[in-house]
Amino acid sequence: MGHVSTPPDPYPAAQPDPAASPTPTSPAPSAPQPPAPEAPAAADGAPPPTLPSQRRATTTLGAGPRDMVISMLILLPIIGVLAFLGRGCSFSPGGPTAESSAMPAVEAPAALAAAAHQVSFPLREPAVPGNWRANAVDQRKAPGDADAVRVGWITPGGRYLRLVQTTADEGALVAAETNGPPTSAKPVAAAGLTWVDYTCANGEQAWAYRAGGVQWLITGDGLVGEFQILAAAQEKASPLPTNG
């Protein structure tokens, strides 16, 4: 049997063209991202500090019952001291005044009776109103090393008056008892006597009168009527007994 040849295929199968093959598309590059912040390195190998975002809040907005109790225990003694100090003063349009019930009291009659035996001049005990509270008696020397006896009273209105009995010079005594020389002087009548009314360096009044070689001086922030009462009581009083 003879060999039979097969004619070529007029439509051969298409072969892939290497040049026509699509080029693989690379993914589009993404925008660069900023680097994450790094914690600053600590010196000497210590661990880096915690960033603010990593810290945990440790404070609280309020205090517990125990803290409130401790605070009250601290504050109460302070409040008590302030209240005690404030008891002795009150507000007055004419200046601060003392609360007579909160001031110490002394037995002025007994103190004056004892002083009468120790000074070199006749000493008197004025009969002041019963609601005046004597709070001080002393025998400090007056200018010129003169004997002197002082008595202080708190009036019901909370004002203060002091009576000085001495043989010291009037001008020196007024300056010593009122923190400086007076700024003015004028006569004032009280119980039939003419006293000298001084306006003093400390803003107070001082009434002075000399009786038989003894200098009387009334000072303080009392009212004029209270000065009048004390001046009259001193004039009416009799000299106390002495050892002589």
Side-chain angles (χ1 to χ4, degrees):
M1 174 182 265
H3 178 72
V4 182
S5 59
T6 304
D9 190 346
Y11 307 102
Q15 299 295 323
D17 186 356
S21 300
T23 302
T25 304
S26 300
S30 60
Q33 301 295 324
E38 296 182 359
D44 302 329
T50 305
L51 295 177
S53 60
Q54 297 174 324
R55 295 175 183 161
R56 296 182 60 187
T58 58
T59 60
T60 59
L61 295 178
R66 179 175 177 272
D67 296 330
M68 293 178 66
V69 170
I70 294 175
S71 299
M72 291 299 295
L73 291 176
I74 295 174
L75 291 174
L76 283 176
I78 299 175
I79 295 172
V81 171
L82 293 176
F84 175 78
L85 294 177
R87 286 182 57 199
C89 294
S90 60
F91 176 77
S92 170
T97 59
E99 177 61 42
S100 60
S101 62
M103 300 296 290
V106 298
E107 292 294 333
L112 288 172
H117 299 283
Q118 302 168 5
V119 297
S120 58
F121 58 88
L123 190 64
R124 301 191 183 195
E125 178 196 338
V128 299
N131 54 3
W132 286 27
R133 185 183 182 93
N135 76 323
V137 177
D138 73 66
Q139 291 181 241
R140 290 179 293 108
K141 292 286 187 176
D145 198 34
D147 290 339
V149 178
R150 300 168 184 82
V151 185
W153 291 272
I154 301 296
T155 68
R159 298 185 178 275
Y160 180 74
L161 288 98
R162 179 174 65 251
L163 171 66
V164 186
Q165 302 178 69
T166 181
T167 56
D169 177 74
E170 181 175 306
L173 179 65
V174 172
E177 296 292 322
T178 60
N179 300 326
T183 59
S184 65
K186 62 183 179 181
V188 60
L193 302 178
T194 301
W195 295 59
V196 180
D197 179 8
Y198 291 97
T199 298
C200 303
N202 62 2
E204 297 179 351
Q205 299 298 115
W207 288 16
Y209 183 81
R210 197 164 193 92
V214 181
Q215 184 66 53
W216 301 339
L217 184 70
I218 301 173
T219 66
D221 64 351
L223 302 176
V224 172
E226 294 168 336
F227 271 74
Q228 292 274 1
I229 290 172
L230 183 53
Q234 177 68 6
E235 190 275 331
K236 294 176 181 177
S238 299
L240 294 170
T242 65
N243 290 332

